[in-house]
Amino acid sequence: METILKITNLHKKYRKVHAVNNVSVEIKKGNVYGILGPNGSGKSTTLGIVLNVVNKTSGEFEWFDGTYSTHDALKKVGAIIERPNFYPYMTAEDNLKLVCKIKNIPYTKVFEKLELVGLLDRKDSKFKTFSLGMKQRLAIASALLNDPEILILDEPTNGLDPQGIRQIRDLIKVIANQGTTILLASHLLDEVEKVCSHVIVIRNGVTLYQGTVDGMVASEGFFELESENLAQLESALQQLPQIEKIEKDENKLLVYLKSHLEPGELNTLLFKQNITLTHLVKRKNSLEEQFLELTKH
Amino acid sequence: MKRLLSIELQKIWQNRASKVLTIIYFLSLTLLASIALIEFDFGPFKFKAADSGFFNFPYIWHFTTYVASWLKIFLAVIIVSMVANEYSYGTLKQNLIDGMSKKEFLLSKIYTILLFSLVSTLLVFGISLILGLKYSSFTEVSIIFSDLEYLFAYFLKHVAFFSFCLFLALLIKRSAFTLGFIFVWFLGENIGHAILKYKILGYKPKDKDTVVIDWVKDALPLESMSNLIVEPFSRLNFIKSITNTVGANFENNYAVQPIFIGIVLFWTSLFLILSYRILKKRDL
């Protein structure tokens, strides 16, 4: 698969803060990536570096196998960072035309993209008259002007109202379905879980996990069990080799697994020991639980 | 180059304040021509601009370039605010993300500076030519087109001053502070010099220290720019005769001196190089 962006051993040190610490990432064409990390974890700095607005301290990054200089590569990238930045005194259309001039492309896509984000009827309004949601959608239109190879979104739903968040999410899904590679930085996990196929988890500038979403949540999972006699249940469970640990949660037992165990199998085993279960559920950690687990101090 | 200019001109032209200032600037330049209509009668002292000798070739080149260059502050305001806005709107960052290189960003500003200076120079050339042809006592071609170095000096003076503005705006990032700083700098060059010369050293004409200090002052950015075209008034016969009767005697060198061209070129390149350095080094 074609590599779009390759980051190798990237470091960024501000005076006292080591904002990005040895980050290596490879972005392949066609995937939707989520970068997860608490606020201040170095997500935006990493994106800033590959987008030519922050200077790296050391390390390398390479767009499209290094066939273009960074600023020419960026002409094939669409990116939105934190808040929409446009000239407030220009209309939506003029702002997009200016971006076309910068990217050195014809104006042909301006109306199409305004239509896509639902701003065509406001094309002659000045940017300063827009609501935050509209500004954010204009930013997406602007990032899509060149039908980019990759769309980079840094906290695209920050500060939006529920409708705005929904609109942006739907847009991202539409764009992802068209086969555009997306890199989505966010600390909102359900956002990432809903649209991304791959995740990169960063904390304090260090990469903690890198791989598929499924891979991240694919631990063996755990059972929630209830029975009339919990003590008996617990001692019976401790005999089983597949079990890693048992936690008590009010009148439930949370049973974590080391290796694979089917609920039916467990039920049969327990029934043979005259234990009847009143509650049996097998669950997997959500991305959120897994993320909090990973980023715990 | 065309692409970069068109980007920058769109930014300027669609901003109402910049557009109004540009129009005011070029209108006032054109209105300079109306100096020719000045006429007053002061008892024994009659003054009629058209007959005063202001418009004689080649003196007119010196006169109009000197007077017109005061108006450059209008364009300076545009340049400072267009650079400072890029920071406050966050559009410098966005331009870079959209695929402009830092070099291209700076070049688009520099091309605009060159264009403004060039248009202004051509306009002054045209106006002077028309005024001169109308009022000059001498209209031989060889006289008309002598002393054209004043136009070159005018162009250079504008490019240098705008580069100074560009650099300070990039450094300070706020237009009001930048304009204030330029004014304070201007005062500083003069006041600093005056304090050193008269207060600290005590004024001793022809003293070695005094000569050195005068030279240092002449080499400072704004002073060297203003030295490119020295004031033309004391050069006129009727003013000479007045000052002679008062007893003062000016011995100015009115020509455009190569040494100042050199100094100004040095400052201009320094400001542009430092501007690039700032853009390169600063994280956004």
Side-chain angles (χ1 to χ4, degrees):
Chain A
M1 214 168 2
E2 215 179 304
T3 301
I4 289 192
L5 171 66
K6 191 175 178 187
I7 302 177
T8 336
N9 307 112
L10 198 65
H11 286 270
K12 174 67 188 180
K13 283 180 195 154
Y14 293 103
R15 251 162 245 161
K16 281 185 182 164
V17 187
H18 202 155
V20 176
N21 189 351
N22 204 20
V23 168
S24 299
V25 170
E26 198 166 351
I27 304 293
K28 300 266 189 195
K29 195 179 167 87
N31 293 336
V32 178
Y33 291 84
I35 303 187
L36 292 177
N39 289 332
S41 58
K43 288 174 301 191
S44 298
T45 312
T46 309
L47 293 181
I49 292 173
V50 297
L51 291 174
N52 203 18
V53 293
V54 176
N55 295 306
K56 65 188 181 193
T57 306
S58 67
E60 293 302 325
F61 67 89
E62 200 179 75
W63 285 100
F64 307 110
D65 294 321
T67 39
Y68 299 93
S69 63
T70 304
H71 73 271
D72 277 329
L74 290 181
K75 292 194 171 76
K76 293 147 71 76
V77 172
I80 301 163
I81 282 221
E82 285 156 357
R83 70 190 173 94
N85 296 320
F86 288 101
Y87 296 88
Y89 53 84
M90 284 185 204
T91 65
E93 187 186 339
D94 285 331
N95 266 305
L96 293 192
K97 283 183 172 168
L98 189 73
V99 175
C100 287
K101 283 185 197 171
I102 290 175
K103 291 195 180 281
N104 219 350
I105 51 172
Y107 299 155
T108 42
K109 295 268 163 102
V110 169
F111 289 141
E112 179 195 323
K113 301 303 173 189
L114 279 172
E115 169 108 70
L116 175 72
V117 298
L119 284 175
L120 192 55
D121 53 334
R122 293 295 302 271
K123 70 182 168 61
D124 294 323
S125 305
K126 293 200 164 143
F127 176 70
K128 63 181 166 206
T129 65
F130 281 11
S131 70
L132 184 58
M134 293 162 75
K135 288 178 175 176
Q136 196 62 281
R137 279 185 281 145
L138 183 66
I140 292 186
S142 158
L144 291 173
L145 270 177
N146 50 345
D147 290 321
E149 301 272 339
I150 177 172
L151 183 62
I152 296 179
L153 302 159
D154 188 4
E155 307 287 3
T157 54
N158 245 7
L160 295 183
D161 58 15
Q163 285 88 344
I165 293 179
R166 183 61 173 275
Q167 284 169 331
I168 299 291
R169 263 191 207 158
D170 290 346
L171 260 176
I172 294 175
K173 274 184 211 154
V174 169
I175 297 159
N177 286 337
Q178 291 167 353
T180 308
T181 313
I182 297 181
L183 186 57
L184 171 69
S186 180
H187 55 260
L188 300 174
L189 295 142
D190 52 338
E191 196 162 281
V192 170
E193 195 165 16
K194 276 177 191 149
V195 293
C196 297
S197 57
H198 289 66
V199 272
I200 297 151
V201 181
I202 297 183
R203 197 195 65 205
N204 294 338
V206 183
T207 330
L208 298 177
Y209 174 82
Q210 201 178 147
T212 60
V213 174
D214 293 339
M216 183 164 162
V217 288
S219 55
E220 287 300 329
F222 61 94
F223 287 107
E224 275 179 29
L225 303 178
E226 273 175 49
S227 172
E228 299 291 323
N229 190 339
L230 277 187
Q232 195 194 353
L233 174 62
E234 195 172 348
S235 60
L237 287 169
Q238 272 157 358
Q239 311 301 316
L240 297 176
Q242 296 95 328
I243 277 160
E244 187 175 3
K245 62 173 177 172
I246 300 169
E247 273 174 21
K248 229 181 198 149
D249 182 17
E250 289 173 33
N251 51 351
K252 265 187 243 167
L253 290 181
L254 301 180
V255 182
Y256 292 89
L257 297 175
K258 269 199 289 248
S259 57
H260 192 71
L261 184 61
E262 283 297 322
E265 227 177 303
L266 178 70
N267 204 3
T268 321
L269 281 170
L270 291 173
F271 200 71
K272 276 183 190 156
Q273 299 186 37
N274 287 326
I275 300 170
T276 46
L277 293 169
T278 54
H279 177 86
L280 166 64
V281 177
K282 187 173 183 189
R283 285 184 51 192
K284 276 189 174 180
N285 265 334
S286 70
L287 185 62
E288 177 168 329
E289 286 157 317
Q290 200 64 34
F291 170 71
L292 291 175
E293 189 70 27
L294 261 172
T295 54
K296 235 176 3 201
H297 289 278
Chain B
M1 181 164 134
K2 217 177 116 205
R3 164 175 157 259
L4 295 179
L5 253 183
S6 118
I7 289 171
E8 188 60 27
L9 290 181
Q10 180 183 343
K11 291 177 188 172
I12 291 177
W13 198 244
Q14 291 185 348
N15 183 324
R16 194 179 298 149
S18 304
K19 189 162 151 182
V20 169
L21 277 173
T22 317
I23 294 171
I24 290 179
Y25 174 73
F26 286 110
L27 268 185
S28 344
L29 258 193
T30 324
L31 286 178
L32 265 187
S34 61
I35 292 177
L37 305 175
I38 295 174
E39 203 175 323
F40 51 81
D41 210 329
F42 220 56
F45 180 60
K46 284 197 175 71
F47 180 80
K48 202 171 169 200
D51 298 338
S52 62
F54 278 145
F55 304 114
N56 281 335
F57 287 118
Y59 171 78
I60 187 172
W61 301 125
H62 187 181
F63 175 71
T64 47
T65 50
Y66 179 80
V67 176
S69 71
W70 287 101
L71 292 171
K72 67 179 178 295
I73 195 72
F74 284 107
L75 290 187
V77 172
I78 298 177
I79 287 161
V80 165
S81 71
M82 289 317 292
V83 174
N85 281 347
E86 303 272 10
Y87 278 101
S88 54
Y89 299 155
T91 42
L92 166 56
K93 195 171 174 180
Q94 193 63 45
N95 284 176
L96 298 180
I97 290 173
D98 286 336
M100 213 175 186
S101 69
K102 290 176 174 175
K103 195 169 146 200
E104 282 179 329
F105 181 83
L106 188 64
L107 276 178
S108 79
K109 306 278 178 206
I110 295 176
Y111 288 155
T112 308
I113 287 178
L114 291 175
L115 182 73
F116 274 154
S117 307
L118 187 70
V119 171
S120 175
T121 308
L122 290 177
L123 205 56
V124 166
F125 172 77
I127 291 166
S128 311
L129 195 64
I130 293 168
L131 282 180
L133 287 175
K134 201 162 172 208
Y135 299 111
S136 174
S137 322
F138 328 98
T139 46
E140 292 84 26
V141 174
S142 62
I143 294 186
I144 292 178
F145 294 109
S146 56
D147 282 2
L148 283 184
E149 64 268 23
Y150 285 108
L151 285 168
F152 168 73
Y154 178 86
F155 176 73
L156 179 60
K157 189 175 173 175
H158 282 66
V159 173
F161 184 64
F162 297 150
S163 307
F164 183 55
C165 297
L166 172 70
F167 162 67
L168 287 178
L170 277 173
L171 185 71
I172 300 173
K173 300 196 255 184
R174 296 275 180 283
S175 37
F177 284 125
T178 308
L179 291 170
F181 186 85
I182 293 171
F183 184 64
V184 169
W185 181 284
F186 171 71
L187 292 182
E189 282 193 9
N190 290 290
I191 293 174
H193 169 255
I195 289 175
L196 260 177
K197 185 167 166 181
Y198 296 105
K199 270 274 175 210
I200 297 178
L201 295 170
Y203 180 55
K204 289 173 249 148
K206 310 278 181 205
D207 182 67
K208 204 177 88 199
D209 291 341
T210 311
V211 173
V212 170
I213 284 171
D214 284 349
W215 253 109
V216 170
K217 186 199 179 198
D218 281 345
L220 293 175
L222 291 180
E223 190 62 25
S224 58
M225 288 175 211
S226 104
N227 283 335
L228 275 177
I229 303 176
V230 296
E231 57 79 27
F233 303 108
S234 55
R235 196 176 165 189
L236 271 182
N237 283 329
F238 79 94
I239 299 214
K240 262 190 194 153
S241 60
I242 293 172
T243 49
N244 281 338
T245 54
V246 183
N249 200 5
F250 290 96
E251 285 174 36
N252 274 348
N253 182 352
Y254 295 102
V256 178
Q257 297 180 58
I259 176 81
F260 289 121
I261 293 181
I263 294 172
V264 169
L265 281 175
F266 163 77
W267 285 118
T268 310
S269 0
L270 185 73
F271 292 139
L272 295 181
I273 291 166
L274 288 179
S275 302
Y276 188 55
R277 194 61 84 70
I278 291 176
L279 267 182
K280 261 276 193 249
K281 285 272 158 89
R282 199 182 266 164
D283 291 331
L284 295 166

